[in-house]
Amino acid sequence: MTKIPFRAKLDGKVAVVTGGGGVLCSRFARALAACGAKVALLGRSEPPLNKVSALISDEGGEAVVVTADVTDKSSLIGAHDTIMSKLGPCDILINGAGGNRPDATTGCEYFGGEGKSFFELDEEAIRSVFDLNFTGTLLATQVFACDMTGRGGTVINISSMNAFRPLTKIPAYSAAKSA
């Protein structure tokens, strides 16, 4: 059983968790299920989502797996339709999908050092990191928070300490998380 310090009463609530197969969001999903929420696990890859779903089921909770790409609004709309038919409207949205790319990372911590510099970062890689961390959060909120209008709900956006104190070598990730 997932151990949590308190139990909120979330019976009958539907929670959508993007990045639901990841380390942090899988724990959030399990905690929500332990509090009675029906959980929709969203991600691009089904195998990690299936593992989390199985854990939630083993712990007596309810979860559905829905593959979707948060950077593609039509994919999110399809996921929304699936979740509506299986669980109902979204009450809680956790925007947890995110990450970085090696080609959006410098190889040196200061100018003139060894490896790829800030000035050589790939433009498409930078866009991809922004799409995943910022645009993906925006699009998921547009699609799922519409269920909350007029009846209430909660949106939680997961960021990173890099938003407040950027680390060297990962300027695109730090900027995207700050956005």
Side-chain angles (χ1 to χ4, degrees), residues 54-97:
L55 288 170
I56 289 172
S57 293
D58 290 348
E59 295 171 349
E62 182 179 353
V64 297
V65 169
V66 182
T67 56
D69 181 349
V70 296
T71 67
D72 178 357
K73 192 168 187 178
S74 64
S75 175
L76 288 167
I77 291 169
H80 180 266
D81 292 346
T82 300
I83 293 163
M84 281 291 285
S85 69
K86 291 184 176 186
L87 301 177
C90 178
D91 298 293
I92 302 164
L93 171 63
I94 296 184
N95 285 307

Side-chain angles (χ1 to χ4, degrees), residues 150-163:
R151 60 185 201 77
T154 302
V155 177
I156 300 171
N157 298 324
I158 305 302
S159 188
S160 168
M161 284 307 298
N162 281 289

Side-chain angles (χ1 to χ4, degrees), residues 1 7-15 31-39 60-62 87 89 91-92 151:
M1 184 79 169
R7 296 228 185 266
K9 290 187 114 331
L10 300 177
D11 298 334
K13 301 291 185 186
V14 174
L32 289 163
C35 291
K38 299 178 283 186
V39 180
E62 182 179 353
L87 301 177
D91 298 293
I92 302 164
R151 60 185 201 77

Side-chain angles (χ1 to χ4, degrees), residues 15-150:
V16 175
V17 183
T18 71
V23 174
L24 288 176
C25 287
S26 64
R27 297 302 294 188
F28 296 151
R30 290 173 67 194
L32 289 163
C35 291
K38 299 178 283 186
V39 180
L41 300 163
L42 263 67
R44 290 184 292 190
S45 178
E46 199 169 315
L49 299 172
N50 286 333
K51 287 180 186 177
V52 178
S53 179
L55 288 170
I56 289 172
S57 293
D58 290 348
E59 295 171 349
E62 182 179 353
V64 297
V65 169
V66 182
T67 56
D69 181 349
V70 296
T71 67
D72 178 357
K73 192 168 187 178
S74 64
S75 175
L76 288 167
I77 291 169
H80 180 266
D81 292 346
T82 300
I83 293 163
M84 281 291 285
S85 69
K86 291 184 176 186
L87 301 177
C90 178
D91 298 293
I92 302 164
L93 171 63
I94 296 184
N95 285 307
N100 197 16
R101 285 179 46 165
D103 50 351
T105 304
T106 66
C108 52
E109 294 191 21
Y110 56 90
F111 184 69
E114 303 228 358
K116 180 173 36 175
S117 78
F118 169 82
F119 301 103
E120 300 168 294
L121 290 176
D122 180 71
E123 183 178 350
E124 181 52 38
I126 293 167
R127 277 199 179 94
S128 174
V129 171
F130 266 84
D131 282 350
L132 178 58
N133 292 284
F134 173 69
T135 307
T137 297
L138 178 92
L139 294 176
T141 303
Q142 284 182 322
V143 170
F144 290 101
C146 66
D147 290 350
M148 301 173 198
T149 57

